[in-house]
């Protein structure tokens, strides 16, 4: 009898513990929605238009839902300046400061945050493949303290645009930072997709922005066009890439609008402000008590066609009228 009573008591205690683990609470044990001030640490790997827009969208979504800095939120916004070691330090500081939630913008900062805590809710955005990055078991159910949004864009759509704008292109140089996991995933996808579209991939791997000039010089005459995946290192150095490519009459297809604003010829990508906004709405779900592991990691369905008319003129490219009619046309980033 005593053994059965103990078993029942243990079962009840275990059940209560499991239920308690299904909701999001602050460091004090208080449900986030009941806290007077929620502390959110924001960690961004580097500064460039896409990631900046994602951060702004996240903050805007929270504000639209009644959560605002100085009212019931306290943001600690940090930038790792492209350094993984700094991203690790930032994540460690957030854990020490007992923030209630972390927003990790881009794959390196998401990995850094996840390596530091398995308890604090981590919202991610601009992360290409959370599963490959090791921070989620699947997009449908992360089974971790991570949820949010992915910026994965179908590579075949980008290559279709590339072929429409540069119909004679056969060899595509993909420039990327060999140290970014998100870029490795996209290069692999490009290599798998290209043959079926009559294209050949030429990898242009760099370890930092200082390598870009020499890397482009080494492929002049060997590539017909350059494609830039959602690589944070390259995105932060687009003016340099544009200068080196366009001086050799090599068009650039970007993977998001910020790259086109900084000189790339065109993209069929996603709106990072909307992506960040979508992440902010997920954060509200977490604040209201839902566990990250129970919230799917989502992508944006809407694609954004953007063409840089300055680049069109500089490269003397004829853009099909149906593309020009559909596209958001911008100027800039081309000297």
């Amino acid at each position: 009898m005593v053994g059965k009573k103990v078993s029942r008591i243990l079962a009840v205690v275990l059940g209560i513990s499991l239920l308690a683990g299904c909701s999001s609470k602050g460091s004090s044990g208080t449900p986030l929605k009941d806290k007077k001030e929620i502390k959110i640490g924001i960690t961004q790997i580097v500064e460039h238009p896409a990631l900046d827009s994602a951060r702004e969208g996240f903050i805007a979504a929270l504000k639209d839902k009644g959560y605002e800095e100085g009212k019931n939120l306290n943001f600690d916004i940090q930038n790792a300046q492209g350094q993984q070691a700094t991203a690790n330090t930032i994540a460690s500081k957030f854990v020490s400061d007992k923030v209630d939630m972390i927003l990790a913008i881009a794959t390196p900062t998401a990995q850094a945050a996840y390596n530091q805590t398995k308890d604090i809710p981590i919202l991610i955005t601009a992360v290409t493949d959370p599963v490959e990055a090791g921070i989620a078991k699947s997009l449908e159910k992360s089974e971790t303290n991570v949820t949010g949004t992915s910026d994965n864009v179908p590579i075949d759509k980008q290559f279709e645009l590339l072929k429409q704008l540069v119909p004679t292109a056969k060899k595509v140089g993909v420039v990327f930072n060999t140290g970014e996991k998100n870029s490795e995933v996209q290069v692999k996808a490009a290599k798998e997709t290209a043959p079926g579209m009559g294209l050949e991939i030429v990898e242009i791997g760099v370890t930092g922005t200082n390598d870009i000039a020499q890397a482009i010089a080494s492929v002049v005459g060997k590539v017909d066009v350059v494609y830039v995946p959602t690589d944070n290192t390259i995105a932060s150095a687009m003016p340099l890439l544009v200068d080196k490519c366009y001086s050799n009459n090599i068009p650039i297809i970007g993977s998001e609008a910020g790259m086109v604003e900084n000189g790339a010829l065109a993209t069929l990508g996603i709106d990072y402000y909307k992506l960040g906004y979508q992440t902010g709405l997920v954060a509200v779900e977490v604040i209201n008590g839902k566990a990250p592991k129970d919230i799917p990691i989502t992508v944006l369905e809407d694609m954004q066609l953007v063409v840089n008319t300055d680049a069109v003129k500089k490269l003397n490219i004829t853009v099909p009228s149906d593309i020009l009619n559909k596209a958001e046309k911008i100027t800039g980033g081309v000297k």
Side-chain angles (χ1 to χ4, degrees), residues 134-174:
I135 60 178
K137 301 297 183 184
S138 72
L139 296 184
E140 295 75 22
K141 199 172 182 66
S142 73
E143 298 183 36
T144 66
N145 57 323
V146 175
T147 189
T149 59
S150 162
D151 63 352
N152 198 10
V153 176
I155 194 75
D156 58 331
K157 301 297 183 184
Q158 298 281 17
F159 282 180
E160 284 174 8
L161 176 64
L162 181 155
K163 292 188 71 173
Q164 287 179 290
L165 294 175
V166 193
T168 59
K170 296 297 181 184
K171 294 187 177 183
V172 181
V174 180

Side-chain angles (χ1 to χ4, degrees), residues 31 44 66 72 79 90 105 123 137 148 165 193 204 214 262 291 306:
Q44 182 172 322
N72 47 18
N79 191 308
I90 291 169
I105 306 175
L123 276 295
K137 301 297 183 184
L165 294 175
T193 303
I204 310 173
Q214 184 176 350
N262 279 322
V306 186

Side-chain angles (χ1 to χ4, degrees), residues 244-256:
K244 297 305 175 184
C245 284
Y246 290 4
S247 62
N248 290 285
N249 204 40
I250 302 173
I252 301 171
I253 301 297
S255 53
E256 49 88 14

Side-chain angles (χ1 to χ4, degrees), residues 73-314:
L73 285 184
N74 179 11
F75 289 119
D76 183 356
I77 302 175
Q78 300 291 331
N79 191 308
Q81 302 300 331
Q83 301 299 314
Q84 186 65 56
T86 305
N88 296 337
T89 300
I90 291 169
S92 178
K93 179 180 182 297
F94 286 165
V95 174
S96 297
D97 291 346
K98 297 182 178 179
V99 299
D100 298 305
M101 180 186 294
I102 295 172
L103 170 66
I105 306 175
T107 302
T109 48
Q111 291 174 312
Y114 184 67
N115 288 339
Q116 290 294 329
T117 178
K118 304 297 187 289
D119 299 314
I120 298 171
I122 299 172
L123 276 295
I124 60 170
T125 193
V127 173
T128 303
D129 191 334
V131 177
E132 187 69 25
I135 60 178
K137 301 297 183 184
S138 72
L139 296 184
E140 295 75 22
K141 199 172 182 66
S142 73
E143 298 183 36
T144 66
N145 57 323
V146 175
T147 189
T149 59
S150 162
D151 63 352
N152 198 10
V153 176
I155 194 75
D156 58 331
K157 301 297 183 184
Q158 298 281 17
F159 282 180
E160 284 174 8
L161 176 64
L162 181 155
K163 292 188 71 173
Q164 287 179 290
L165 294 175
V166 193
T168 59
K170 296 297 181 184
K171 294 187 177 183
V172 181
V174 180
V175 59
F176 67 103
N177 182 347
T178 56
E180 287 196 30
K181 189 67 177 179
N182 52 303
S183 297
E184 288 180 16
V185 170
Q186 293 173 86
V187 172
K188 180 182 177 183
K191 291 169 73 174
E192 291 172 350
T193 303
M197 304 184 74
L199 299 171
E200 178 186 340
I201 297 300
V202 177
E203 294 185 37
I204 310 173
V206 301
T207 58
T209 56
N210 292 335
D211 297 343
I212 291 176
Q214 184 176 350
I216 295 302
S218 71
V219 296
V220 171
K222 299 176 182 178
V223 299
D224 304 307
V225 60
V226 161
Y227 174 70
V228 186
T230 53
D231 183 293
N232 298 295
T233 300
I234 309 303
S236 66
M238 280 301 295
L240 172 61
L241 181 66
V242 167
D243 178 62
K244 297 305 175 184
C245 284
Y246 290 4
S247 62
N248 290 285
N249 204 40
I250 302 173
I252 301 171
I253 301 297
S255 53
E256 49 88 14
M259 293 178 182
V260 182
E261 291 172 6
N262 279 322
L265 173 62
T267 188
L268 182 62
I270 60 173
D271 185 325
Y272 275 77
Y273 181 89
K274 290 182 180 178
L275 189 74
Y277 193 96
Q278 188 166 308
T279 311
L281 296 180
V282 175
V284 173
E285 290 188 59
V286 174
I287 290 171
N288 287 335
K290 202 164 183 180
K293 65 184 181 64
D294 296 325
I295 306 173
I297 297 171
T298 57
V299 296
L300 273 184
E301 298 297 333
D302 295 337
M303 304 292 283
Q304 183 182 30
L305 175 60
V306 186
V307 173
N308 188 319
T309 54
D310 280 355
V312 170
K313 293 175 183 176
K314 177 76 174 180

